[in-house]
Amino acid sequence: MASLLVTGGAGFIGSNFVAHWTATHPNDRVTVLDLLTYAGNRANLDGQPAELVVGDIRDEALVSELIDSRQVDTIVHFAAESHVDRSILGPDAFIETNVLGTHALLKAARKAWVDGGKPHRFHHVSTDEVYGTLGPSDPAFREDTPYAPNSPYSASKAASDHLVRAYHHTYGLTTTTSNCSNNYGPFHFPEKLIPLFILNTLHGRSLPIYGDGMQVRDWLHVEDHCRGIAAVIQHGRPGETYNIGGGAELPNIRVIDTLCAEVDKLFAADSALAERFPDAPAASGKPSSSLKTFVTDRPGHDRRYAIDCHKATAELGYEPKHSFESGLAQTLRWYLDHEDWWRGILDGSYRQWVETNYGGRQTAAG
Ligand code: NAD
Ligand code: DAU
């Protein structure tokens, strides 16, 4: 039986991971440490057999106390500021949480485990954005691709990756790191492209496409990501990093068109949706794509990400199971079936934040 400390476990990927791990390892103990920032949500853990401790990863004394009292032998580190646009508006929180927070965790883990001579694993969840941006015909990111982060977010994640590496190399902490591409799926906070555009479509609000919409991302269903992380934790070699991808490289415009077509299809098949969402164009037989609006590009916007996950496949047997089309349809269905979840977010402090920072630009909460 293992005892896991999952940081950021009340966020999007962390809560999906807790669901995955507790279903596949019912005898393990899972403690979530989460500050419940705007992105964290108690409701994401509803019904899950995990303890939620509300606290800050930067609080080294708290982390030490949790490792000790829960006899933690595995840390799975998701907690972060995760939104690129927010990092452009205000980088400080990204340095605080992603760099200093990761370092506080590493210090507590080293003290408890290396100094105490205990078997352990520190798994760090990172991003493909640390590798920078690709040209149209460049090969996909590999684990040995040089780091070239371009946004304050990716720079802070790169710094945290380097600290994890250093704690393995210098102090012998048993670490693994995974770098993955863009996740999507249930519980995705509606500031990111897919959930934002789902909710805007339902509300008849514009779909703000940055620049020409031809930026490419490699879409990874969150359940595939969680299976990949679990495989790294169980079988990954200490000190190694593993890329995890979804095998679904698509330009944003294709993602948006696919989503709009799926919404139109569901409304055409189910008249109850028009009653629930009368402002959606699809409610009156108009295409959802009529909401597409090209807006000023994100500063420093990375053009293309693509993941080469051959190492995870060869060493861990990892392969994504979801196709993008079926994963997106399942995700859309989840948002239609969980209106209470997203209404709780849109009616809360998120609306105020959007009004302050985006000055009237239409988003899910606008
Ligand atoms: P998220 O923003 O949905 O959740 C982050 C969670 O961390 C929230 O629950 C928040 O309350 C918590 N948190 C923030 N600061 C904290 C602090 N100081 N102490 C404790 N908890 C804190 O993020 P996500 O999309 O679930 O991403 C999880 C991890 O995966 C991040 O490290 C992110 O960089 C990485 N990642 C995400 C994606 C993606 O597509 N979402 C892709 C690659 C990597
Ligand atoms: O690649 C992994 C990264 O994916 C993670 O490390 C980040 O935590 C995660 O947020 C995500 O970053 P992106 O910036 O790629 O995701 P986002 O959903 O913000 O944007 C996806 C693409 O869509 C990107 O090219 C910007 C574009 N976009 C986004 C928004 C929110 C738009 O065109 N309009 C929008 O309103």
Side-chain angles (χ1 to χ4, degrees):
M1 184 186 136
S3 178
L4 276 66
L5 181 66
V6 180
T7 73
F12 162 46
I13 307 173
S15 60
N16 277 281
F17 176 81
V18 170
H20 174 83
W21 192 274
T22 52
T24 51
H25 300 81
N27 296 324
D28 285 358
R29 177 175 190 169
V30 175
T31 307
V32 168
L33 174 60
D34 197 298
L35 192 56
L36 297 184
T37 67
Y38 78 95
N41 190 341
R42 275 177 200 281
N44 294 7
L45 293 168
D46 274 356
Q48 295 199 34
E51 176 194 10
L52 170 62
V53 176
V54 179
D56 196 327
I57 55 166
R58 290 169 296 176
D59 185 346
E60 192 187 330
L62 170 64
V63 176
S64 293
E65 192 278 316
L66 290 175
I67 294 175
D68 194 36
S69 59
R70 274 71 172 175
Q71 296 182 306
V72 170
D73 52 25
T74 307
I75 290 178
V76 193
H77 176 34
F78 293 93
E81 289 293 333
S82 68
H83 191 37
V84 174
D85 290 334
R86 284 182 189 247
S87 83
I88 295 166
L89 286 167
D92 297 65
F94 288 71
I95 308 305
E96 288 281 335
T97 295
N98 301 358
V99 185
L100 300 181
T102 301
H103 191 224
L105 284 174
L106 288 165
K107 283 193 284 181
R110 176 190 167 206
K111 211 179 295 165
W113 292 337
V114 181
D115 297 352
K118 295 189 177 138
H120 63 272
R121 168 80 58 154
F122 186 107
H123 181 72
H124 175 56
V125 179
S126 192
T127 173
D128 58 1
E129 300 203 11
V130 296
Y131 300 120
T133 186
L134 293 169
S137 50
D138 286 341
F141 299 131
R142 290 161 39 113
E143 289 79 359
D144 55 5
T145 301
Y147 274 30
N150 287 319
S151 71
Y153 163 71
S154 53
S156 69
K157 292 297 291 186
S160 67
D161 293 10
H162 291 321
L163 285 168
V164 172
R165 178 190 155 86
Y167 267 66
H168 170 73
H169 187 78
T170 305
Y171 302 118
L173 193 71
T174 304
T175 64
T176 38
T177 296
S178 50
N179 296 79
C180 74
S181 52
N182 285 61
N183 284 223
Y184 68 100
F187 299 107
H188 205 179
F189 193 85
E191 64 185 348
K192 309 281 170 64
L193 180 77
I194 288 181
L196 175 68
F197 279 32
I198 289 175
L199 299 191
N200 279 14
T201 304
L202 297 179
H203 292 102
R205 298 184 190 283
S206 69
L207 305 178
I209 302 168
Y210 297 164
D212 62 2
M214 290 305 291
Q215 303 84 5
V216 172
R217 298 293 184 264
D218 178 352
W219 293 95
L220 169 65
H221 194 284
V222 67
E223 288 166 9
D224 284 328
H225 185 200
C226 292
R227 281 191 308 102
I229 292 172
V232 177
I233 292 170
Q234 290 170 296
H235 308 295
R237 285 181 291 132
E240 290 293 315
T241 68
Y242 294 87
N243 284 352
I244 301 177
E249 247 195 88
L250 292 167
N252 291 339
I253 203 77
R254 274 272 303 283
V255 172
I256 295 159
D257 286 337
T258 309
L259 175 60
C260 288
E262 192 61 30
V263 171
D264 295 348
K265 194 173 92 187
L266 290 185
F267 272 70
D270 179 1
S271 58
L273 288 176
E275 281 165 39
R276 281 174 66 195
F277 304 107
D279 296 330
S284 45
K286 289 195 216 99
S288 300
S289 60
S290 59
L291 296 171
K292 288 196 297 189
T293 310
F294 289 88
V295 300
T296 309
D297 208 351
R298 172 187 277 175
H301 199 170
D302 285 337
R303 194 70 179 164
R304 174 176 166 240
Y305 304 142
I307 283 266
D308 178 338
C309 58
H310 280 100
K311 180 177 173 184
T313 304
E315 288 189 25
L316 313 171
Y318 167 76
E319 274 184 18
K321 285 186 178 161
H322 286 272
S323 73
F324 181 71
E325 288 69 23
S326 68
L328 185 69
Q330 178 240 45
T331 302
L332 173 58
R333 192 72 259 168
W334 188 89
Y335 279 84
L336 290 170
D337 292 344
H338 292 81
E339 190 172 339
D340 284 356
W341 180 84
W342 51 260
R343 286 237 180 263
I345 293 168
L346 298 194
D347 294 344
S349 57
Y350 177 52
R351 180 190 296 277
Q352 183 57 48
W353 186 89
V354 169
E355 274 161 17
T356 308
N357 288 287
Y358 285 91
R361 203 188 80 195
Q362 282 195 321
T363 69

